[in-house]
Amino acid sequence: MNRTRAALTMLALCSLTAIDARPSTAETYRPWCVQYSGRSGGRSCAFTSFEQCMMTAGPGTGGSCVQNPWYLWYGEHGPSTTGQSGRARRW
């Protein structure tokens, strides 16, 4: 009985240790995306500069660089509280 209890305790401790829970982090939006043309038409938004994006979307890849629409909205500091007209937005 004591061995069974000890085995279950060890199993519980090992499984909790293996989870490795970490605090969540905010999504990081990069300013440039490579958009690929063609049937599958994928997009990769992992570029911090236009030059870096162009190196990936080089000739023969079928890709072109576009600004990340999520970055334009959220940017580095999140959405502003004023709209285009300068009036405060209602959330």
Side-chain angles (χ1 to χ4, degrees):
M1 188 87 141
N2 285 337
R3 286 186 181 188
T4 305
R5 186 174 290 173
L8 288 174
T9 303
M10 288 300 290
L11 180 64
L13 287 175
C14 290
S15 64
L16 290 175
T17 304
I19 291 175
D20 190 27
R22 296 181 183 174
S24 64
T25 59
E27 178 71 32
T28 303
Y29 296 106
R30 306 278 191 241
W32 292 99
C33 300
V34 173
Q35 180 141 9
Y36 295 101
S37 60
R39 192 170 201 186
S40 60
R43 178 184 283 193
S44 172
C45 297
F47 306 102
T48 56
S49 68
F50 181 74
E51 291 79 17
Q52 184 183 29
C53 179
M54 286 302 294
M55 287 172 53
T56 303
T61 62
S64 60
C65 292
V66 295
Q67 285 187 311
N68 185 352
W70 289 98
Y71 183 81
L72 293 175
W73 178 255
Y74 292 104
E76 292 184 26
H77 306 293
S80 64
T81 57
T82 60
Q84 299 266 346
S85 63
R87 296 184 296 185
R89 285 190 207 152
R90 291 185 185 178
W91 296 100

PDB file of all heavy atoms in Angstrom, residues 61-83:
ATOM      1  N   THR A  61      10.932  33.268 -56.506  1.00  0.00           N
ATOM      2  CA  THR A  61      10.174  32.701 -55.387  1.00  0.00           C
ATOM      3  C   THR A  61       8.677  32.953 -55.524  1.00  0.00           C
ATOM      4  O   THR A  61       7.892  32.311 -54.837  1.00  0.00           O
ATOM      5  CB  THR A  61      10.637  33.291 -54.047  1.00  0.00           C
ATOM      6  OG1 THR A  61      10.399  34.701 -54.045  1.00  0.00           O
ATOM      7  CG2 THR A  61      12.107  33.008 -53.794  1.00  0.00           C
ATOM      8  N   GLY A  62       8.301  33.889 -56.373  1.00  0.00           N
ATOM      9  CA  GLY A  62       6.883  34.221 -56.528  1.00  0.00           C
ATOM     10  C   GLY A  62       6.348  35.048 -55.383  1.00  0.00           C
ATOM     11  O   GLY A  62       5.146  35.153 -55.196  1.00  0.00           O
ATOM     12  N   GLY A  63       7.244  35.653 -54.610  1.00  0.00           N
ATOM     13  CA  GLY A  63       6.816  36.438 -53.457  1.00  0.00           C
ATOM     14  C   GLY A  63       7.006  37.924 -53.667  1.00  0.00           C
ATOM     15  O   GLY A  63       7.830  38.365 -54.454  1.00  0.00           O
ATOM     16  N   SER A  64       6.211  38.696 -52.960  1.00  0.00           N
ATOM     17  CA  SER A  64       6.358  40.146 -52.963  1.00  0.00           C
ATOM     18  C   SER A  64       6.179  40.643 -51.540  1.00  0.00           C
ATOM     19  O   SER A  64       5.492  40.017 -50.726  1.00  0.00           O
ATOM     20  CB  SER A  64       5.324  40.797 -53.880  1.00  0.00           C
ATOM     21  OG  SER A  64       4.018  40.483 -53.447  1.00  0.00           O
ATOM     22  N   CYS A  65       6.801  41.762 -51.225  1.00  0.00           N
ATOM     23  CA  CYS A  65       6.743  42.305 -49.876  1.00  0.00           C
ATOM     24  C   CYS A  65       5.587  43.287 -49.749  1.00  0.00           C
ATOM     25  O   CYS A  65       5.397  44.147 -50.605  1.00  0.00           O
ATOM     26  CB  CYS A  65       8.050  43.002 -49.530  1.00  0.00           C
ATOM     27  SG  CYS A  65       9.431  41.859 -49.370  1.00  0.00           S
ATOM     28  N   VAL A  66       4.831  43.126 -48.676  1.00  0.00           N
ATOM     29  CA  VAL A  66       3.725  44.029 -48.367  1.00  0.00           C
ATOM     30  C   VAL A  66       3.816  44.386 -46.890  1.00  0.00           C
ATOM     31  O   VAL A  66       4.401  43.652 -46.093  1.00  0.00           O
ATOM     32  CB  VAL A  66       2.344  43.389 -48.664  1.00  0.00           C
ATOM     33  CG1 VAL A  66       2.165  43.129 -50.134  1.00  0.00           C
ATOM     34  CG2 VAL A  66       2.158  42.111 -47.892  1.00  0.00           C
ATOM     35  N   GLN A  67       3.242  45.533 -46.540  1.00  0.00           N
ATOM     36  CA  GLN A  67       3.219  45.901 -45.131  1.00  0.00           C
ATOM     37  C   GLN A  67       2.230  45.018 -44.391  1.00  0.00           C
ATOM     38  O   GLN A  67       1.173  44.675 -44.919  1.00  0.00           O
ATOM     39  CB  GLN A  67       2.845  47.363 -44.961  1.00  0.00           C
ATOM     40  CG  GLN A  67       3.972  48.295 -45.320  1.00  0.00           C
ATOM     41  CD  GLN A  67       3.617  49.720 -44.976  1.00  0.00           C
ATOM     42  OE1 GLN A  67       2.548  50.190 -45.315  1.00  0.00           O
ATOM     43  NE2 GLN A  67       4.534  50.397 -44.305  1.00  0.00           N
ATOM     44  N   ASN A  68       2.576  44.660 -43.182  1.00  0.00           N
ATOM     45  CA  ASN A  68       1.735  43.809 -42.357  1.00  0.00           C
ATOM     46  C   ASN A  68       0.524  44.618 -41.876  1.00  0.00           C
ATOM     47  O   ASN A  68       0.685  45.589 -41.150  1.00  0.00           O
ATOM     48  CB  ASN A  68       2.542  43.301 -41.160  1.00  0.00           C
ATOM     49  CG  ASN A  68       1.791  42.314 -40.314  1.00  0.00           C
ATOM     50  OD1 ASN A  68       0.608  42.077 -40.499  1.00  0.00           O
ATOM     51  ND2 ASN A  68       2.502  41.730 -39.359  1.00  0.00           N
ATOM     52  N   PRO A  69      -0.692  44.229 -42.267  1.00  0.00           N
ATOM     53  CA  PRO A  69      -1.862  44.995 -41.836  1.00  0.00           C
ATOM     54  C   PRO A  69      -2.064  44.960 -40.320  1.00  0.00           C
ATOM     55  O   PRO A  69      -2.557  45.917 -39.746  1.00  0.00           O
ATOM     56  CB  PRO A  69      -3.028  44.327 -42.573  1.00  0.00           C
ATOM     57  CG  PRO A  69      -2.529  43.001 -42.989  1.00  0.00           C
ATOM     58  CD  PRO A  69      -1.046  43.106 -43.125  1.00  0.00           C
ATOM     59  N   TRP A  70      -1.658  43.880 -39.678  1.00  0.00           N
ATOM     60  CA  TRP A  70      -1.778  43.813 -38.219  1.00  0.00           C
ATOM     61  C   TRP A  70      -0.805  44.773 -37.560  1.00  0.00           C
ATOM     62  O   TRP A  70      -1.108  45.380 -36.539  1.00  0.00           O
ATOM     63  CB  TRP A  70      -1.539  42.397 -37.725  1.00  0.00           C
ATOM     64  CG  TRP A  70      -2.649  41.479 -38.080  1.00  0.00           C
ATOM     65  CD1 TRP A  70      -2.690  40.619 -39.137  1.00  0.00           C
ATOM     66  CD2 TRP A  70      -3.895  41.331 -37.409  1.00  0.00           C
ATOM     67  NE1 TRP A  70      -3.875  39.949 -39.164  1.00  0.00           N
ATOM     68  CE2 TRP A  70      -4.640  40.365 -38.109  1.00  0.00           C
ATOM     69  CE3 TRP A  70      -4.455  41.914 -36.293  1.00  0.00           C
ATOM     70  CZ2 TRP A  70      -5.908  39.986 -37.708  1.00  0.00           C
ATOM     71  CZ3 TRP A  70      -5.716  41.527 -35.905  1.00  0.00           C
ATOM     72  CH2 TRP A  70      -6.422  40.573 -36.611  1.00  0.00           C
ATOM     73  N   TYR A  71       0.385  44.907 -38.123  1.00  0.00           N
ATOM     74  CA  TYR A  71       1.367  45.828 -37.560  1.00  0.00           C
ATOM     75  C   TYR A  71       0.896  47.266 -37.743  1.00  0.00           C
ATOM     76  O   TYR A  71       1.085  48.104 -36.866  1.00  0.00           O
ATOM     77  CB  TYR A  71       2.735  45.633 -38.217  1.00  0.00           C
ATOM     78  CG  TYR A  71       3.805  46.509 -37.617  1.00  0.00           C
ATOM     79  CD1 TYR A  71       4.431  46.129 -36.442  1.00  0.00           C
ATOM     80  CD2 TYR A  71       4.178  47.696 -38.219  1.00  0.00           C
ATOM     81  CE1 TYR A  71       5.419  46.914 -35.881  1.00  0.00           C
ATOM     82  CE2 TYR A  71       5.169  48.493 -37.661  1.00  0.00           C
ATOM     83  CZ  TYR A  71       5.776  48.102 -36.494  1.00  0.00           C
ATOM     84  OH  TYR A  71       6.741  48.872 -35.940  1.00  0.00           O
ATOM     85  N   LEU A  72       0.277  47.554 -38.891  1.00  0.00           N
ATOM     86  CA  LEU A  72      -0.216  48.908 -39.122  1.00  0.00           C
ATOM     87  C   LEU A  72      -1.283  49.272 -38.094  1.00  0.00           C
ATOM     88  O   LEU A  72      -1.380  50.423 -37.665  1.00  0.00           O
ATOM     89  CB  LEU A  72      -0.790  49.034 -40.539  1.00  0.00           C
ATOM     90  CG  LEU A  72       0.231  48.913 -41.666  1.00  0.00           C
ATOM     91  CD1 LEU A  72      -0.479  48.928 -43.018  1.00  0.00           C
ATOM     92  CD2 LEU A  72       1.243  50.044 -41.591  1.00  0.00           C
ATOM     93  N   TRP A  73      -2.078  48.291 -37.683  1.00  0.00           N
ATOM     94  CA  TRP A  73      -3.129  48.566 -36.708  1.00  0.00           C
ATOM     95  C   TRP A  73      -2.587  48.562 -35.279  1.00  0.00           C
ATOM     96  O   TRP A  73      -2.831  49.480 -34.520  1.00  0.00           O
ATOM     97  CB  TRP A  73      -4.255  47.547 -36.842  1.00  0.00           C
ATOM     98  CG  TRP A  73      -5.341  47.756 -35.838  1.00  0.00           C
ATOM     99  CD1 TRP A  73      -5.566  46.998 -34.734  1.00  0.00           C
ATOM    100  CD2 TRP A  73      -6.325  48.782 -35.814  1.00  0.00           C
ATOM    101  NE1 TRP A  73      -6.632  47.473 -34.036  1.00  0.00           N
ATOM    102  CE2 TRP A  73      -7.126  48.583 -34.680  1.00  0.00           C
ATOM    103  CE3 TRP A  73      -6.610  49.856 -36.649  1.00  0.00           C
ATOM    104  CZ2 TRP A  73      -8.176  49.411 -34.352  1.00  0.00           C
ATOM    105  CZ3 TRP A  73      -7.684  50.676 -36.315  1.00  0.00           C
ATOM    106  CH2 TRP A  73      -8.447  50.449 -35.192  1.00  0.00           C
ATOM    107  N   TYR A  74      -1.850  47.510 -34.919  1.00  0.00           N
ATOM    108  CA  TYR A  74      -1.403  47.370 -33.540  1.00  0.00           C
ATOM    109  C   TYR A  74      -0.016  47.938 -33.291  1.00  0.00           C
ATOM    110  O   TYR A  74       0.263  48.397 -32.203  1.00  0.00           O
ATOM    111  CB  TYR A  74      -1.437  45.896 -33.117  1.00  0.00           C
ATOM    112  CG  TYR A  74      -2.836  45.369 -33.031  1.00  0.00           C
ATOM    113  CD1 TYR A  74      -3.350  44.544 -34.011  1.00  0.00           C
ATOM    114  CD2 TYR A  74      -3.651  45.703 -31.973  1.00  0.00           C
ATOM    115  CE1 TYR A  74      -4.642  44.063 -33.940  1.00  0.00           C
ATOM    116  CE2 TYR A  74      -4.942  45.233 -31.891  1.00  0.00           C
ATOM    117  CZ  TYR A  74      -5.428  44.413 -32.876  1.00  0.00           C
ATOM    118  OH  TYR A  74      -6.701  43.955 -32.799  1.00  0.00           O
ATOM    119  N   GLY A  75       0.866  47.838 -34.268  1.00  0.00           N
ATOM    120  CA  GLY A  75       2.210  48.385 -34.130  1.00  0.00           C
ATOM    121  C   GLY A  75       2.939  47.884 -32.904  1.00  0.00           C
ATOM    122  O   GLY A  75       2.636  46.844 -32.358  1.00  0.00           O
ATOM    123  N   GLU A  76       3.904  48.645 -32.470  1.00  0.00           N
ATOM    124  CA  GLU A  76       4.665  48.262 -31.289  1.00  0.00           C
ATOM    125  C   GLU A  76       3.960  48.650 -30.005  1.00  0.00           C
ATOM    126  O   GLU A  76       4.214  48.089 -28.956  1.00  0.00           O
ATOM    127  CB  GLU A  76       6.042  48.910 -31.323  1.00  0.00           C
ATOM    128  CG  GLU A  76       6.926  48.359 -32.411  1.00  0.00           C
ATOM    129  CD  GLU A  76       8.316  48.947 -32.355  1.00  0.00           C
ATOM    130  OE1 GLU A  76       8.744  49.359 -31.273  1.00  0.00           O
ATOM    131  OE2 GLU A  76       8.953  48.994 -33.406  1.00  0.00           O
ATOM    132  N   HIS A  77       3.087  49.633 -30.067  1.00  0.00           N
ATOM    133  CA  HIS A  77       2.486  50.160 -28.850  1.00  0.00           C
ATOM    134  C   HIS A  77       0.982  49.937 -28.771  1.00  0.00           C
ATOM    135  O   HIS A  77       0.339  50.496 -27.909  1.00  0.00           O
ATOM    136  CB  HIS A  77       2.778  51.645 -28.734  1.00  0.00           C
ATOM    137  CG  HIS A  77       4.233  51.942 -28.830  1.00  0.00           C
ATOM    138  ND1 HIS A  77       5.139  51.554 -27.859  1.00  0.00           N
ATOM    139  CD2 HIS A  77       4.965  52.538 -29.797  1.00  0.00           C
ATOM    140  CE1 HIS A  77       6.350  51.934 -28.223  1.00  0.00           C
ATOM    141  NE2 HIS A  77       6.277  52.522 -29.396  1.00  0.00           N
ATOM    142  N   GLY A  78       0.412  49.165 -29.675  1.00  0.00           N
ATOM    143  CA  GLY A  78      -1.010  48.886 -29.639  1.00  0.00           C
ATOM    144  C   GLY A  78      -1.818  49.994 -30.295  1.00  0.00           C
ATOM    145  O   GLY A  78      -1.276  51.011 -30.741  1.00  0.00           O
ATOM    146  N   PRO A  79      -3.133  49.825 -30.371  1.00  0.00           N
ATOM    147  CA  PRO A  79      -3.969  50.823 -31.020  1.00  0.00           C
ATOM    148  C   PRO A  79      -4.018  52.109 -30.198  1.00  0.00           C
ATOM    149  O   PRO A  79      -3.983  52.081 -28.974  1.00  0.00           O
ATOM    150  CB  PRO A  79      -5.335  50.158 -31.098  1.00  0.00           C
ATOM    151  CG  PRO A  79      -5.325  49.137 -30.030  1.00  0.00           C
ATOM    152  CD  PRO A  79      -3.899  48.692 -29.890  1.00  0.00           C
ATOM    153  N   SER A  80      -4.093  53.216 -30.894  1.00  0.00           N
ATOM    154  CA  SER A  80      -4.198  54.488 -30.194  1.00  0.00           C
ATOM    155  C   SER A  80      -5.645  54.697 -29.770  1.00  0.00           C
ATOM    156  O   SER A  80      -6.554  54.046 -30.244  1.00  0.00           O
ATOM    157  CB  SER A  80      -3.741  55.630 -31.102  1.00  0.00           C
ATOM    158  OG  SER A  80      -4.609  55.724 -32.205  1.00  0.00           O
ATOM    159  N   THR A  81      -5.863  55.636 -28.886  1.00  0.00           N
ATOM    160  CA  THR A  81      -7.214  55.883 -28.406  1.00  0.00           C
ATOM    161  C   THR A  81      -7.938  56.916 -29.257  1.00  0.00           C
ATOM    162  O   THR A  81      -9.100  57.183 -29.037  1.00  0.00           O
ATOM    163  CB  THR A  81      -7.195  56.355 -26.936  1.00  0.00           C
ATOM    164  OG1 THR A  81      -6.375  57.525 -26.858  1.00  0.00           O
ATOM    165  CG2 THR A  81      -6.673  55.261 -26.039  1.00  0.00           C
ATOM    166  N   THR A  82      -7.245  57.513 -30.210  1.00  0.00           N
ATOM    167  CA  THR A  82      -7.907  58.468 -31.092  1.00  0.00           C
ATOM    168  C   THR A  82      -7.934  57.910 -32.501  1.00  0.00           C
ATOM    169  O   THR A  82      -7.024  57.202 -32.920  1.00  0.00           O
ATOM    170  CB  THR A  82      -7.184  59.830 -31.101  1.00  0.00           C
ATOM    171  OG1 THR A  82      -5.851  59.624 -31.545  1.00  0.00           O
ATOM    172  CG2 THR A  82      -7.185  60.443 -29.714  1.00  0.00           C
ATOM    173  N   GLY A  83      -8.968  58.208 -33.221  1.00  0.00           N
ATOM    174  CA  GLY A  83      -9.102  57.731 -34.588  1.00  0.00           C
ATOM    175  C   GLY A  83      -8.418  58.654 -35.579  1.00  0.00           C
ATOM    176  O   GLY A  83      -7.682  59.561 -35.209  1.00  0.00           O
TER     177      GLY A  83
END
